[in-house]
Amino acid sequence: MDTQNTVIMSPSLLSSDFSRLAGELESLEQAGVEWVHWDVMDGNFVPNITFGPPVISRCRKESSLFFDVHLMIDNPGRYIQEFVDAGADLICVHAESETHLERTVAEITRLGAHPAVALNPHTPLSVVEYLLPQLYMVLIMSVNPGFGGQSFIPFTIDKIKSLSQMIKATGSDTLIQVDGGVTPDNIAELRHAGADILVSGSAFFGHPPYDERLRTFLRAAG
Ligand code: DX5
Ligand code: ZN
């Protein structure tokens, strides 16, 4: 997928209707959405618990959307094969929960998915600097992960700008995703700072119909 110079919305299913996930995926696809964001939470790395490989695997049969899987779990390296088998197109692991980050990133690539690393708001960019050539995407968390509907943390704008400069300096083509508190009101600033892929949960699913909401975000992004 050519993502250069194009902003991509990845709606977070965390704010969707869990009782009808297949219907939600179909509605997103009909609305023109290309990526969908799966927030996997284990009740350890983050306080909340959501879903895992069986749910993703079942939904994979119902959807051809790009499955962007954000693992908020301890020791994610133990579960890469399961999430690839479930149908993840991209697997994003948190630097804070994986001691052997390089090995886990290599494993994701070896198994045929796009590798990504997420950083909590306070985690320095230096953690991913040496890995950039191996990474399809870096996810900058703009809230503390665990729940939808939280307020955007303003200092993360500077972090996005710094990451964008770091990516250019290292000559890699790693994409930047931003997740948490993204709305049509701040998407232009995020885009300007260097964000390529924007995740939105509450500000997307809370405002149907989805085709109009997608257009509102994309128009606001400029
Ligand atoms: C937060 C999750 C996000 C969340 C975003 O832990 O990683 O993906 O769903 O939700 P909003 O857009 O409501 O902040
Ligand atoms: Zn997420």
Side-chain angles (χ1 to χ4, degrees):
M1 186 178 305
D2 178 17
T3 45
Q4 302 300 323
N5 303 318
T6 327
V7 65
I8 289 182
M9 286 303 300
S10 191
S12 166
L13 290 169
L14 187 61
S15 294
S16 72
D17 180 351
F18 283 7
S19 72
R20 42 179 301 278
L21 274 178
E24 292 279 46
L25 290 166
E26 191 183 353
S27 302
L28 290 173
E29 213 159 337
Q30 282 169 1
V33 166
E34 292 176 73
W35 284 40
V36 68
H37 187 83
W38 291 86
D39 283 309
V40 177
M41 304 185 185
D42 67 352
N44 287 302
F45 180 66
V46 289
N48 205 357
I49 302 177
T50 54
F51 35 66
V55 173
I56 296 174
S57 169
R58 184 62 190 85
C59 288
R60 179 74 287 176
K61 297 181 175 62
E62 311 291 332
S63 174
S64 56
L65 289 169
F66 184 92
F67 278 13
D68 159 24
V69 178
H70 178 192
L71 299 184
M72 285 162 276
I73 64 175
D74 280 342
N75 300 315
R78 292 166 55 192
Y79 299 97
I80 302 306
Q81 182 79 62
E82 280 182 62
F83 282 100
V84 170
D85 290 347
D89 293 297
L90 176 151
I91 297 180
C92 186
V93 297
H94 268 263
E96 305 85 0
S97 68
E98 180 52 74
T99 309
H100 306 290
L101 198 52
E102 193 277 339
R103 185 166 67 199
T104 296
V105 164
E107 173 84 344
I108 296 169
T109 306
R110 188 179 68 78
L111 293 174
H114 292 298
V117 170
L119 302 177
N120 281 338
H122 71 280
T123 303
L125 294 173
S126 54
V127 167
V128 289
E129 187 170 6
Y130 292 107
L131 282 179
L132 286 178
Q134 275 84 52
L135 292 178
Y136 182 76
M137 187 185 91
V138 171
L139 165 50
I140 298 290
M141 286 305 304
S142 41
V143 298
N144 289 293
F147 302 97
Q150 302 182 79
S151 298
F152 184 88
I153 298 174
F155 72 70
T156 57
I157 295 265
D158 280 344
K159 196 173 174 186
I160 298 162
K161 288 180 184 164
S162 300
L163 176 58
S164 184
Q165 285 164 6
M166 187 186 277
I167 288 169
K168 285 193 187 97
T170 55
S172 58
D173 54 5
T174 308
L175 299 169
I176 300 177
Q177 184 176 68
V178 179
D179 183 7
V182 175
T183 71
D185 291 335
N186 61 18
I187 193 171
E189 193 179 7
L190 296 171
R191 183 77 181 126
H192 185 69
D196 303 292
I197 301 147
L198 286 311
V199 175
S200 173
S202 52
F204 188 94
F205 285 94
H207 301 265
Y210 301 156
D211 55 348
E212 271 179 36
R213 199 55 177 163
L214 177 64
R215 275 200 297 277
T216 300
F217 269 100
L218 295 178
R219 224 181 289 123

